[in-house]
Amino acid sequence: MGRLDGRVALVTGAGRGIGLATARRLAQEGASVCIADIAGAVAEEVAGTLRGEGLEAFGVRLDVTDREEVEAAVGETAGRYGRLDILVNNAGITRDNLIFRMTDEDWRSVVDVHLTGAFLCSRAAQKHMVENRYGRIVNVSSTSALGNRGQSNYSAVKAGLQGFTKTLAIELGRFGVTVNAVAPGFVETEMTRTTAERMGFDFEDFVAARVETIPVGRSGKPEDIAAAILFFATEEASFINGQVLYAAGGPRA
Ligand code: NAP
């Protein structure tokens, strides 16, 4: 028996990285999962792979900044399985630059994907959760919320997501819907690989340098973050609401 038997989940940005590991983990615990990603073909391919592993999943193209696509994906998931219990707001991008070089587009695109995306997805999903008097929303924040050089846009949205989490927790708790956030530290994914490339570092060297600062002496893997998200997504976490869990190998990696 899985911890999420009979539950239905939608994970944004689930085409790869932390989103994919989370979708797989939720499905392994018995949930039926919508793999939603801006790369629609990738989402469908990933869903096919999960089905090949004996899990229940389907893929949709979803740009979280597009209200119509968000409502369609949420509607399709609830329509297909008759409910929507779990939303993981994971989709994300980085557009790092020091403030004097940061363009309007760097700023707006990061605000749009992380904050507007989480808002649109949560607003659409909560309707089904409130009707059903049950729901779990998990937002993916970051240790960058505490400040990180070159990431004024990204740290602002990741801190913003923490405020968003706490406010939704207050508004939705009475309907059996909890809202929490996981704030990862350094995790090996395409996102951090791209950061290393942009800074002109070999990825292995970049990881080694980061590991020096991480108390547990290793980098994070997508599965580490999926495990934390799973905890908030379970029924037994029903008294935990509006919290931010740093998953960083230390108090701050
Ligand atoms: P990733 O490997 O780059 O994966 C992000 C996924 O989100 C990609 O599949 C990407 O698709 C998708 N995406 C981007 N824009 C989207 C949009 N508008 N709508 C829907 N999907 C979209 O990144 P990751 O490292 O797994 O990061 C996942 C989350 O964890 C992000 O919120 C990130 O900020 C957060 N996080 C990561 C780390 C880390 O060290 N990796 C640390 C703290 C927090 P495309 O590539 O096709 O655009």
Side-chain angles (χ1 to χ4, degrees), residues 6-158:
R7 298 294 180 197
V8 176
L10 187 153
V11 182
T12 68
R16 65 174 191 228
I18 293 168
L20 168 54
T22 300
R24 176 176 274 127
R25 188 70 211 273
L26 300 182
Q28 285 169 341
E29 291 290 344
S32 301
V33 181
C34 172
I35 307 289
D37 200 282
I38 195 165
V42 172
E44 281 174 25
E45 196 185 314
V46 162
T49 303
L50 295 190
R51 285 196 299 273
E53 295 170 14
L55 305 171
E56 178 54 40
F58 79 102
V60 293
R61 181 200 134 85
L62 169 61
D63 176 352
V64 294
T65 67
D66 183 321
R67 180 168 46 78
E68 284 177 10
E69 284 190 23
V70 167
E71 286 171 5
V74 165
E76 189 180 345
T77 307
R80 186 182 279 246
Y81 298 117
R83 55 193 298 141
L84 177 58
D85 303 295
I86 300 161
L87 168 69
V88 182
N89 285 312
N90 165 81
I93 59 169
T94 51
R95 296 288 183 270
D96 299 353
N97 252 325
L98 294 173
I99 186 73
F100 74 94
R101 278 201 219 105
M102 186 164 289
T103 65
D104 292 5
E105 175 55 21
D106 291 335
W107 179 267
R108 283 206 189 95
S109 57
V110 168
V111 169
D112 275 357
V113 173
H114 293 267
L115 276 181
T116 309
F119 160 66
L120 291 174
C121 292
S122 301
R123 185 178 63 182
Q126 61 80 36
K127 181 173 163 286
H128 299 276
M129 296 174 178
V130 167
E131 266 171 25
N132 204 25
R133 293 293 190 273
Y134 184 88
R136 299 279 181 266
I137 298 176
V138 186
N139 296 317
V140 180
S141 177
S142 167
T143 49
S144 294
L146 303 167
N148 198 25
R149 185 179 158 82
Q151 290 198 312
S152 55
N153 50 359
Y154 186 79
S155 65
V157 299
K158 291 307 198 185

